[in-house]
mmCIF file of all heavy atoms in Angstrom:
data_model
loop_
_atom_site.group_PDB
_atom_site.id
_atom_site.type_symbol
_atom_site.label_atom_id
_atom_site.label_comp_id
_atom_site.label_asym_id
_atom_site.label_seq_id
_atom_site.Cartn_x
_atom_site.Cartn_y
_atom_site.Cartn_z
ATOM 1 N N ASN A 1 43.453 173.035 -105.339
ATOM 2 C CA ASN A 1 42.004 172.884 -105.131
ATOM 3 C C ASN A 1 41.688 171.708 -104.209
ATOM 4 O O ASN A 1 40.556 171.280 -104.100
ATOM 5 C CB ASN A 1 41.287 172.697 -106.471
ATOM 6 C CG ASN A 1 41.600 171.360 -107.118
ATOM 7 O OD1 ASN A 1 42.532 170.656 -106.701
ATOM 8 N ND2 ASN A 1 40.850 171.003 -108.140
ATOM 9 N N LYS A 2 42.738 171.171 -103.558
ATOM 10 C CA LYS A 2 42.620 170.099 -102.553
ATOM 11 C C LYS A 2 42.223 168.756 -103.159
ATOM 12 O O LYS A 2 41.843 167.840 -102.436
ATOM 13 C CB LYS A 2 41.638 170.500 -101.443
ATOM 14 C CG LYS A 2 42.048 171.761 -100.705
ATOM 15 C CD LYS A 2 41.063 172.080 -99.591
ATOM 16 C CE LYS A 2 41.526 173.308 -98.811
ATOM 17 N NZ LYS A 2 41.556 174.529 -99.646
ATOM 18 N N VAL A 3 42.304 168.639 -104.485
ATOM 19 C CA VAL A 3 42.051 167.369 -105.165
ATOM 20 C C VAL A 3 43.194 167.124 -106.146
ATOM 21 O O VAL A 3 43.518 167.998 -106.949
ATOM 22 C CB VAL A 3 40.712 167.388 -105.932
ATOM 23 C CG1 VAL A 3 40.528 166.086 -106.689
ATOM 24 C CG2 VAL A 3 39.557 167.601 -104.965
ATOM 25 N N VAL A 4 43.804 165.962 -106.056
ATOM 26 C CA VAL A 4 44.883 165.615 -106.983
ATOM 27 C C VAL A 4 44.286 164.826 -108.135
ATOM 28 O O VAL A 4 43.770 163.728 -107.945
ATOM 29 C CB VAL A 4 45.988 164.802 -106.282
ATOM 30 C CG1 VAL A 4 47.094 164.464 -107.263
ATOM 31 C CG2 VAL A 4 46.546 165.579 -105.101
ATOM 32 N N ALA A 5 44.329 165.400 -109.322
ATOM 33 C CA ALA A 5 43.683 164.781 -110.483
ATOM 34 C C ALA A 5 44.464 165.145 -111.745
ATOM 35 O O ALA A 5 45.574 165.682 -111.678
ATOM 36 C CB ALA A 5 42.231 165.252 -110.586
ATOM 37 N N ALA A 6 43.873 164.819 -112.895
ATOM 38 C CA ALA A 6 44.548 165.033 -114.177
ATOM 39 C C ALA A 6 45.012 166.472 -114.351
ATOM 40 O O ALA A 6 46.092 166.736 -114.913
ATOM 41 C CB ALA A 6 43.605 164.642 -115.311
ATOM 42 N N GLU A 7 44.206 167.432 -113.876
ATOM 43 C CA GLU A 7 44.565 168.838 -114.029
ATOM 44 C C GLU A 7 45.909 169.147 -113.388
ATOM 45 O O GLU A 7 46.690 169.970 -113.900
ATOM 46 C CB GLU A 7 43.480 169.731 -113.417
ATOM 47 C CG GLU A 7 42.161 169.738 -114.166
ATOM 48 C CD GLU A 7 41.274 168.550 -113.824
ATOM 49 O OE1 GLU A 7 41.724 167.688 -113.028
ATOM 50 O OE2 GLU A 7 40.154 168.485 -114.349
ATOM 51 N N ASP A 8 46.233 168.489 -112.291
ATOM 52 C CA ASP A 8 47.508 168.723 -111.620
ATOM 53 C C ASP A 8 48.671 168.201 -112.460
ATOM 54 O O ASP A 8 49.747 168.818 -112.490
ATOM 55 C CB ASP A 8 47.503 168.048 -110.246
ATOM 56 C CG ASP A 8 46.450 168.636 -109.331
ATOM 57 O OD1 ASP A 8 46.654 169.761 -108.851
ATOM 58 O OD2 ASP A 8 45.420 167.980 -109.132
ATOM 59 N N LEU A 9 48.468 167.070 -113.127
ATOM 60 C CA LEU A 9 49.511 166.548 -114.012
ATOM 61 C C LEU A 9 49.793 167.516 -115.155
ATOM 62 O O LEU A 9 50.951 167.756 -115.517
ATOM 63 C CB LEU A 9 49.074 165.194 -114.585
ATOM 64 C CG LEU A 9 48.937 164.032 -113.603
ATOM 65 C CD1 LEU A 9 48.329 162.823 -114.311
ATOM 66 C CD2 LEU A 9 50.293 163.664 -113.012
ATOM 67 N N LEU A 10 48.739 168.063 -115.722
ATOM 68 C CA LEU A 10 48.895 168.922 -116.894
ATOM 69 C C LEU A 10 49.414 170.305 -116.527
ATOM 70 O O LEU A 10 50.023 170.988 -117.349
ATOM 71 C CB LEU A 10 47.555 169.021 -117.631
ATOM 72 C CG LEU A 10 46.986 167.683 -118.095
ATOM 73 C CD1 LEU A 10 45.629 167.868 -118.743
ATOM 74 C CD2 LEU A 10 47.941 166.980 -119.045
ATOM 75 N N ARG A 11 49.180 170.742 -115.294
ATOM 76 C CA ARG A 11 49.635 172.059 -114.852
ATOM 77 C C ARG A 11 51.053 172.024 -114.274
ATOM 78 O O ARG A 11 51.687 173.067 -114.109
ATOM 79 C CB ARG A 11 48.682 172.614 -113.784
ATOM 80 C CG ARG A 11 47.329 173.053 -114.316
ATOM 81 C CD ARG A 11 46.420 173.450 -113.158
ATOM 82 N NE ARG A 11 45.103 173.849 -113.621
ATOM 83 C CZ ARG A 11 44.747 175.100 -113.885
ATOM 84 N NH1 ARG A 11 45.627 176.073 -113.735
ATOM 85 N NH2 ARG A 11 43.531 175.389 -114.303
ATOM 86 N N TRP A 12 51.547 170.845 -113.943
ATOM 87 C CA TRP A 12 52.845 170.755 -113.283
ATOM 88 C C TRP A 12 53.941 171.353 -114.147
ATOM 89 O O TRP A 12 54.022 171.098 -115.348
ATOM 90 C CB TRP A 12 53.181 169.298 -112.947
ATOM 91 C CG TRP A 12 54.490 169.177 -112.211
ATOM 92 C CD1 TRP A 12 54.690 169.356 -110.882
ATOM 93 C CD2 TRP A 12 55.766 168.873 -112.779
ATOM 94 N NE1 TRP A 12 56.012 169.196 -110.570
ATOM 95 C CE2 TRP A 12 56.706 168.896 -111.713
ATOM 96 C CE3 TRP A 12 56.211 168.594 -114.070
ATOM 97 C CZ2 TRP A 12 58.060 168.632 -111.912
ATOM 98 C CZ3 TRP A 12 57.565 168.349 -114.264
ATOM 99 C CH2 TRP A 12 58.482 168.352 -113.198
ATOM 100 N N ASN A 13 54.816 172.145 -113.509
ATOM 101 C CA ASN A 13 55.915 172.803 -114.210
ATOM 102 C C ASN A 13 57.191 172.587 -113.402
ATOM 103 O O ASN A 13 57.231 172.901 -112.205
ATOM 104 C CB ASN A 13 55.619 174.304 -114.353
ATOM 105 C CG ASN A 13 56.694 175.046 -115.114
ATOM 106 O OD1 ASN A 13 57.802 175.232 -114.619
ATOM 107 N ND2 ASN A 13 56.358 175.488 -116.319
ATOM 108 N N ARG A 14 58.209 172.074 -114.055
ATOM 109 C CA ARG A 14 59.455 171.751 -113.359
ATOM 110 C C ARG A 14 60.046 172.978 -112.667
ATOM 111 O O ARG A 14 60.617 172.892 -111.576
ATOM 112 C CB ARG A 14 60.457 171.169 -114.347
ATOM 113 C CG ARG A 14 61.782 170.760 -113.701
ATOM 114 C CD ARG A 14 62.796 170.372 -114.754
ATOM 115 N NE ARG A 14 62.491 169.100 -115.369
ATOM 116 C CZ ARG A 14 63.044 167.942 -114.982
ATOM 117 N NH1 ARG A 14 63.887 167.923 -113.982
ATOM 118 N NH2 ARG A 14 62.741 166.825 -115.600
ATOM 119 N N LEU A 15 59.907 174.125 -113.284
ATOM 120 C CA LEU A 15 60.516 175.337 -112.760
ATOM 121 C C LEU A 15 59.843 175.826 -111.488
ATOM 122 O O LEU A 15 60.497 176.249 -110.529
ATOM 123 C CB LEU A 15 60.457 176.435 -113.832
ATOM 124 C CG LEU A 15 61.378 177.635 -113.650
ATOM 125 C CD1 LEU A 15 62.831 177.203 -113.583
ATOM 126 C CD2 LEU A 15 61.159 178.632 -114.778
ATOM 127 N N PHE A 16 58.495 175.739 -111.457
ATOM 128 C CA PHE A 16 57.746 176.312 -110.343
ATOM 129 C C PHE A 16 57.208 175.280 -109.354
ATOM 130 O O PHE A 16 56.854 175.644 -108.225
ATOM 131 C CB PHE A 16 56.570 177.137 -110.891
ATOM 132 C CG PHE A 16 56.983 178.210 -111.849
ATOM 133 C CD1 PHE A 16 56.673 178.110 -113.193
ATOM 134 C CD2 PHE A 16 57.695 179.312 -111.400
ATOM 135 C CE1 PHE A 16 57.051 179.093 -114.083
ATOM 136 C CE2 PHE A 16 58.075 180.308 -112.285
ATOM 137 C CZ PHE A 16 57.765 180.205 -113.625
ATOM 138 N N ASP A 17 57.117 174.019 -109.768
ATOM 139 C CA ASP A 17 56.442 173.012 -108.940
ATOM 140 C C ASP A 17 57.340 171.827 -108.594
ATOM 141 O O ASP A 17 56.856 170.715 -108.413
ATOM 142 C CB ASP A 17 55.192 172.500 -109.669
ATOM 143 C CG ASP A 17 54.248 173.613 -110.057
ATOM 144 O OD1 ASP A 17 53.923 174.430 -109.184
ATOM 145 O OD2 ASP A 17 53.845 173.658 -111.244
ATOM 146 N N ALA A 18 58.644 172.065 -108.529
ATOM 147 C CA ALA A 18 59.563 170.952 -108.262
ATOM 148 C C ALA A 18 59.233 170.255 -106.953
ATOM 149 O O ALA A 18 59.355 169.030 -106.832
ATOM 150 C CB ALA A 18 60.998 171.457 -108.243
ATOM 151 N N ASP A 19 58.772 171.007 -105.952
ATOM 152 C CA ASP A 19 58.465 170.422 -104.650
ATOM 153 C C ASP A 19 57.195 169.594 -104.653
ATOM 154 O O ASP A 19 56.902 168.891 -103.686
ATOM 155 C CB ASP A 19 58.343 171.529 -103.600
ATOM 156 C CG ASP A 19 57.206 172.496 -103.902
ATOM 157 O OD1 ASP A 19 56.995 172.802 -105.091
ATOM 158 O OD2 ASP A 19 56.528 172.928 -102.951
ATOM 159 N N LYS A 20 56.439 169.666 -105.743
ATOM 160 C CA LYS A 20 55.174 168.923 -105.819
ATOM 161 C C LYS A 20 55.298 167.640 -106.642
ATOM 162 O O LYS A 20 54.301 166.954 -106.865
ATOM 163 C CB LYS A 20 54.075 169.812 -106.405
ATOM 164 C CG LYS A 20 53.702 170.994 -105.506
ATOM 165 C CD LYS A 20 52.558 171.789 -106.093
ATOM 166 C CE LYS A 20 52.092 172.855 -105.103
ATOM 167 N NZ LYS A 20 53.146 173.854 -104.842
ATOM 168 N N LEU A 21 56.509 167.345 -107.095
ATOM 169 C CA LEU A 21 56.711 166.123 -107.876
ATOM 170 C C LEU A 21 56.956 164.942 -106.946
ATOM 171 O O LEU A 21 57.851 164.979 -106.095
ATOM 172 C CB LEU A 21 57.901 166.286 -108.824
ATOM 173 C CG LEU A 21 58.178 165.080 -109.729
ATOM 174 C CD1 LEU A 21 57.058 164.897 -110.743
ATOM 175 C CD2 LEU A 21 59.517 165.239 -110.431
ATOM 176 N N LEU A 22 56.159 163.888 -107.082
ATOM 177 C CA LEU A 22 56.335 162.666 -106.310
ATOM 178 C C LEU A 22 57.039 161.586 -107.123
ATOM 179 O O LEU A 22 57.602 160.655 -106.557
ATOM 180 C CB LEU A 22 54.976 162.140 -105.844
ATOM 181 C CG LEU A 22 54.165 163.063 -104.929
ATOM 182 C CD1 LEU A 22 52.791 162.457 -104.664
ATOM 183 C CD2 LEU A 22 54.889 163.319 -103.626
ATOM 184 N N ALA A 23 56.997 161.708 -108.439
ATOM 185 C CA ALA A 23 57.588 160.704 -109.322
ATOM 186 C C ALA A 23 59.107 160.724 -109.226
ATOM 187 O O ALA A 23 59.714 161.697 -108.762
ATOM 188 C CB ALA A 23 57.152 160.954 -110.759
ATOM 189 N N ASP A 24 59.719 159.654 -109.665
ATOM 190 C CA ASP A 24 61.169 159.522 -109.644
ATOM 191 C C ASP A 24 61.800 160.506 -110.629
ATOM 192 O O ASP A 24 61.569 160.430 -111.844
ATOM 193 C CB ASP A 24 61.554 158.091 -110.005
ATOM 194 C CG ASP A 24 63.060 157.898 -110.017
ATOM 195 O OD1 ASP A 24 63.694 158.183 -108.981
ATOM 196 O OD2 ASP A 24 63.581 157.498 -111.054
ATOM 197 N N VAL A 25 62.586 161.439 -110.111
ATOM 198 C CA VAL A 25 63.179 162.477 -110.956
ATOM 199 C C VAL A 25 64.138 161.873 -111.974
ATOM 200 O O VAL A 25 64.187 162.307 -113.134
ATOM 201 C CB VAL A 25 63.902 163.524 -110.083
ATOM 202 C CG1 VAL A 25 64.601 164.562 -110.963
ATOM 203 C CG2 VAL A 25 62.931 164.200 -109.137
ATOM 204 N N ALA A 26 64.901 160.864 -111.553
ATOM 205 C CA ALA A 26 65.878 160.256 -112.466
ATOM 206 C C ALA A 26 65.188 159.648 -113.690
ATOM 207 O O ALA A 26 65.660 159.790 -114.823
ATOM 208 C CB ALA A 26 66.691 159.194 -111.724
ATOM 209 N N THR A 27 64.052 158.985 -113.456
ATOM 210 C CA THR A 27 63.318 158.398 -114.579
ATOM 211 C C THR A 27 62.738 159.487 -115.472
ATOM 212 O O THR A 27 62.746 159.369 -116.704
ATOM 213 C CB THR A 27 62.184 157.487 -114.069
ATOM 214 O OG1 THR A 27 62.721 156.510 -113.184
ATOM 215 C CG2 THR A 27 61.490 156.785 -115.227
ATOM 216 N N LEU A 28 62.248 160.552 -114.856
ATOM 217 C CA LEU A 28 61.715 161.668 -115.638
ATOM 218 C C LEU A 28 62.814 162.290 -116.494
ATOM 219 O O LEU A 28 62.605 162.600 -117.675
ATOM 220 C CB LEU A 28 61.112 162.707 -114.698
ATOM 221 C CG LEU A 28 60.276 163.812 -115.344
ATOM 222 C CD1 LEU A 28 59.070 163.220 -116.063
ATOM 223 C CD2 LEU A 28 59.807 164.817 -114.298
ATOM 224 N N ASP A 29 63.989 162.454 -115.920
ATOM 225 C CA ASP A 29 65.120 162.995 -116.686
ATOM 226 C C ASP A 29 65.526 162.046 -117.805
ATOM 227 O O ASP A 29 65.904 162.477 -118.902
ATOM 228 C CB ASP A 29 66.305 163.248 -115.756
ATOM 229 C CG ASP A 29 66.072 164.443 -114.835
ATOM 230 O OD1 ASP A 29 65.200 165.270 -115.165
ATOM 231 O OD2 ASP A 29 66.771 164.546 -113.811
ATOM 232 N N ALA A 30 65.462 160.747 -117.526
ATOM 233 C CA ALA A 30 65.825 159.765 -118.553
ATOM 234 C C ALA A 30 64.865 159.835 -119.736
ATOM 235 O O ALA A 30 65.271 159.693 -120.893
ATOM 236 C CB ALA A 30 65.829 158.359 -117.954
ATOM 237 N N ILE A 31 63.582 160.079 -119.449
ATOM 238 C CA ILE A 31 62.599 160.220 -120.526
ATOM 239 C C ILE A 31 62.907 161.465 -121.345
ATOM 240 O O ILE A 31 62.896 161.436 -122.590
ATOM 241 C CB ILE A 31 61.177 160.278 -119.949
ATOM 242 C CG1 ILE A 31 60.808 158.928 -119.331
ATOM 243 C CG2 ILE A 31 60.169 160.667 -121.030
ATOM 244 C CD1 ILE A 31 59.497 158.939 -118.570
ATOM 245 N N SER A 32 63.206 162.576 -120.661
ATOM 246 C CA SER A 32 63.562 163.807 -121.383
ATOM 247 C C SER A 32 64.787 163.571 -122.262
ATOM 248 O O SER A 32 64.820 163.975 -123.427
ATOM 249 C CB SER A 32 63.846 164.937 -120.387
ATOM 250 O OG SER A 32 62.732 165.189 -119.582
ATOM 251 N N GLY A 33 65.779 162.901 -121.690
ATOM 252 C CA GLY A 33 66.996 162.632 -122.467
ATOM 253 C C GLY A 33 66.745 161.721 -123.648
ATOM 254 O O GLY A 33 67.316 161.905 -124.731
#
């Protein structure tokens, strides 16, 4: 919708939106682990 906001965080899906992640993947994986 051309606006980056809370809705984008909640809709983000690792499987379908990997190219839209700006955050550090290693840290995200560490949190999951």
Side-chain angles (χ1 to χ4, degrees):
N1 69 347
K2 300 182 177 64
V3 177
V4 180
E7 291 82 357
D8 297 286
L9 294 173
L10 301 177
R11 288 174 181 267
W12 182 82
N13 182 290
R14 182 188 288 263
L15 197 58
F16 304 110
D17 304 310
D19 62 322
K20 294 183 173 64
L21 182 68
L22 299 175
D24 179 56
V25 176
T27 305
L28 191 61
D29 288 340
I31 293 172
S32 301

